[in-house]
Structure formats: C-alpha cells, structure tokens
Amino acid sequence: MKQYKIAVAGTGYVGLVAGVCFAEKGHQVICVDVDERKVETMKQGICPIYEQDLEELMQKNYKEGRLDYTTDYKNAYKDADAIFIGVGTPEQPDGSANLSYIATVSRQIAESIEKDCLVVVKSTVPIGTNDKVEQFIKDFLVNDVKVEVASNPEFLAQGTAVKDTLQAKRIIIGTESKEAEKKLMEIYEPFKLPIVSVNRRSAEMIKYASNDFLALKISYMNDIANLCELVGANIQDVAKGMSYDPRIGANFLNAGIGYGGSCFPKDTKALKYLAKQHGYKLKTVEAAVDVNAEQKVKLFKKASERMITFNGVKIAILGLTFKPGTDDLREAPSIDNVELLLKNNANNIYAYDPVGEDNFKKRYPTEINYVSTPEEALKDANICFIFTEWNEIKAIKPEMYKKLMKTPLVYDGRNIYDVKEMKDEGIEYYSIGR
Ligand code: NAD
C-alpha cells in the first residue's frame, strides 16, 4: 500500500470520520479545524461528537502517530499529497447551499500549498461547484504548483458513521484526469471497497440524487401513512408487505414525524433550487419537501385539537435528536414541536434525551426542564410526545405511562408501540398511519 500524506479540512461528522478512517487504513493524516476548542479537545483524545467507535479509533491512531489535529492550516496544507474538504454547506434562507466555508478553505489552500496537490471535495455541493473550486484555487495560487480538484461525496449516516466509512457500500470518485483518478484510487485501495469512477458533475449529482431519493421514500411512506389513517389501514403492515418486494427493499419504509438532520432537509431544498435556476421544476423532490414540512408538526396539530390549552399542562418529551445514535439536533422535528408548544403558552415542559440534552440546552437554556430519566419526565405528566426512538425510550413498558402519568395521553411520532396494547393499558394513544 502506498502511504499518502492527507490533510482534512473540517472535523465535523464527515471530516473527522474520514480523517480517522484514512489514518486507520495506514495514511498519514492531519485534521484541520478553525475551532480551537474542538482541536484542543481532540488532542486530548476526546471526540467532539457522539459517534459510535470514533473516540477509540481517534485515540489509537493518534497514539500510533498517524493522526493529528491542528488549527494551523498553512502547515497542514503546504506539503499534503491530498487535501479533503469536509466543511459544512448549510442551507440559506432561499434553499440554496451556502458555499462560503468551501470558498474560505479553497482560498486557504491556494495560499498554502507548496507542492503539487489533489484537492478532494467531500462536502455535498451543488453540481458544478468542483469546477469553480478548481478555478478559484488556481486564480489565487501563491506558489507555482499543479493543483487538481476531484469530487468524492460522502454517504455515511450519523450514528453509524465509522462503520459506513470502513465498510462503505461504494466509493464515488469524480475526476477529470487519469492522474487524479489514479491517486484517489490509490488512497482508497486499502479500504478494499467497490469504487465507481465518473466525471465530477456526475459524482456531485450522485450525492444529491441519492439523498433526495431517500427523502422522497420517507415522504412517500408518510403520505401513504396519512391516507392509511383516513381509510383504516395500518402503515406498519403495509410497509411490511411492501418490503418483501426486492424492487422496493426493506429500508426507509418507516412512517413517522418526518426526516430531519443536517442532510435531507438541505439537500432536497438545494436540488430544488438548482433545478429552478435552470428553469426546471423538480416536482418529485418538491413534493417530498412539502410532505415533510407538514409531517413534522402533525402530532402537535392533533394534540392542539384535543387540548384547550398547553398552559400549565405538564408535557413530557421523550427524545430530542433527529434520530437515535447521534447528538445532532439540526432540523430535528423536536425543535419545530417545542417551538410551537412554547408559542402556544406551554410552560411546563420536561424533556429527556440520552445524549441530546447539552445541544438542546444551547437553544433552550431556560424554557425547558431537562431530566436524566424518562420516568422523571413522565411523572405526573398530562401529555407525552415521543420524537426519537432511542432504545432507552423503546424500553419503557406501556404500563409505565399509565402508572406514572397523571393523564395517560401519548403522541408517538415513531410508532414504537402496538396500538392495541396501549389501548388495553387504558392509554389514549396516537401514532402515525395506524
Ligand atoms: P459539520 O458542521 O459537523 O462540520 C464542519 C466543520 O468544519 C466544523 O467543525 C467547522 O468548524 C469546520 N470548518 C469551517 N470552516 C473551516 C475552515 N476554513 N477550515 C477548517 N475547518 C473549518 O458538518 P458535517 O455534518 O460534517 O457536514 C460536512 C459536509 O458533508 C456537508 O456538506 C454535508 O452536507 C456533507 N455530509 C454530511 C453528512 C452527515 O451525516 N453529517 C453525510 C454526508 C455528507
């Protein structure tokens, strides 16, 4: 195996996991971030995000001398063989992707590199961005070196990021020269994974098309779930029946309170925006976005029809993160619902989440009471909302709601419980599509 000197820009879910996994596969890696506190934390062997197995691999590779962290980008980039960009591309108010972090890194790279280098964009970027990044770096190059840009979109899912990287279903590389293709192939050679090599624009599109397809699948099931409620069918049985068809597949068939997280919401809107820029209406993706927006607040709406007020009512919230296995709260349905509850005069909210509490506290430091067990949240509560299907929440037995709550009224956004079992326990239970 050929060992490469790799720098990674950005140590979020994508950059840090990529850096750690490249080191684990034998490359020499330096991870760069602008956040000094984060870099200090990582140097101490502490993982700044909640992600299974990541901290152990960070410590191992740091100790073995293949992995380091810095804010000093100049030193990190100057003699790197390849620089992977993993900074954020958040959504802007109009739905387009904010490329300012990509631009800053590109400028820093242009001003720092002292030898020929392959710049690899891992962040999710609109089609054509790689071309612009290459031109921008060339325009601002300080030294007489050769630089080329390649696309290498990331497909990891938060919560299983390390596994998804080390055992990825496929690696997509988008290049415009044989040289860049060969280098990227060699970097990924020790992973022993299927590699799909295409041009840069196709690689960029593969990422959006994949994410938006999954978002569409979720919204489709939520749409069908809403119809199930109206016609007396059960979405879980429907999904089970569909799942046996290999053309449909068993994954992503769970109806619920909509997708959240840092990717699906912004990547659907970004593709919709991109299509509009080209005079095209991307109707399927637009539908996914619309269904999701309504789905996220469906349970709140149901609860407001049932309650005369939320003021003075003890509300238990179980689960805050957008899904289990992560501490990420970006676009989590819990936020939309808490926002609505507060606007509607709720003043007695008790929330439980096994890992999301600290991040939620940054948004709502005083408006909510945070508790360390589901039982504390449920004690004497009048209403319970379930927003995330953490194992700790799935483990709560139906009789506990009856026993602990003042009035057992449960709105379950993740279809954790059997409808009949809850009814038999004497719980007023509302879920999705059943
Ligand atoms: P993140 O927000 O968690 O992390 C971005 C990091 O970049 C931050 O630590 C920030 O401090 C750092 N940063 C900003 N400017 C920098 C600079 N100039 N130099 C060095 N570091 C800098 O982002 P993320 O969730 O890891 O996502 C990164 C990209 O990957 C996005 O485009 C996203 O769409 C894509 N992606 C994310 C996921 C996911 O599950 N989170 C999966 C696939 C793809």
Side-chain angles (χ1 to χ4, degrees), residues 3-6 19-20 22-31 42-43 56-69:
Q3 191 194 47
Y4 278 99
K5 201 164 176 198
I6 294 175
V20 170
F22 284 137
E24 176 67 12
K25 290 293 175 185
H27 295 298
Q28 190 62 45
V29 179
I30 179 97
C31 290
M42 294 188 289
K43 274 183 173 291
E56 290 77 7
L57 286 184
M58 284 171 72
Q59 290 168 0
K60 173 177 172 246
N61 285 282
Y62 185 74
K63 212 167 108 200
E64 291 171 3
R66 283 187 306 275
L67 178 66
D68 206 351
Y69 314 96

Side-chain angles (χ1 to χ4, degrees), residues 219-235 238 255 295 298 432-434:
S219 277
Y220 176 74
M221 291 311 285
N222 284 335
D223 215 11
I224 295 292
N226 295 339
L227 187 58
C228 280
E229 277 179 32
L230 298 172
V231 299
N234 178 318
I235 190 65
V238 172
Q295 198 69 12
K298 195 177 148 75
I432 306 284
R434 311 182 299 170

Side-chain angles (χ1 to χ4, degrees), residues 299-316 341 344-348 380-385 405-411 428 430:
L299 288 184
F300 169 80
K301 281 197 176 144
K302 265 194 190 173
S304 3
E305 279 158 21
R306 162 79 169 70
M307 303 294 292
I308 194 164
T309 180
F310 291 110
N311 193 255
V313 169
K314 178 170 174 181
I315 301 168
L341 285 166
N344 284 274
N345 306 318
N347 56 356
N348 198 17
D380 294 330
N382 303 98
I383 306 187
C384 169
F385 287 99
M405 292 178 75
K406 196 168 226 165
T407 44
L409 172 59
V410 177
Y411 291 88
E428 189 179 335
Y430 300 93

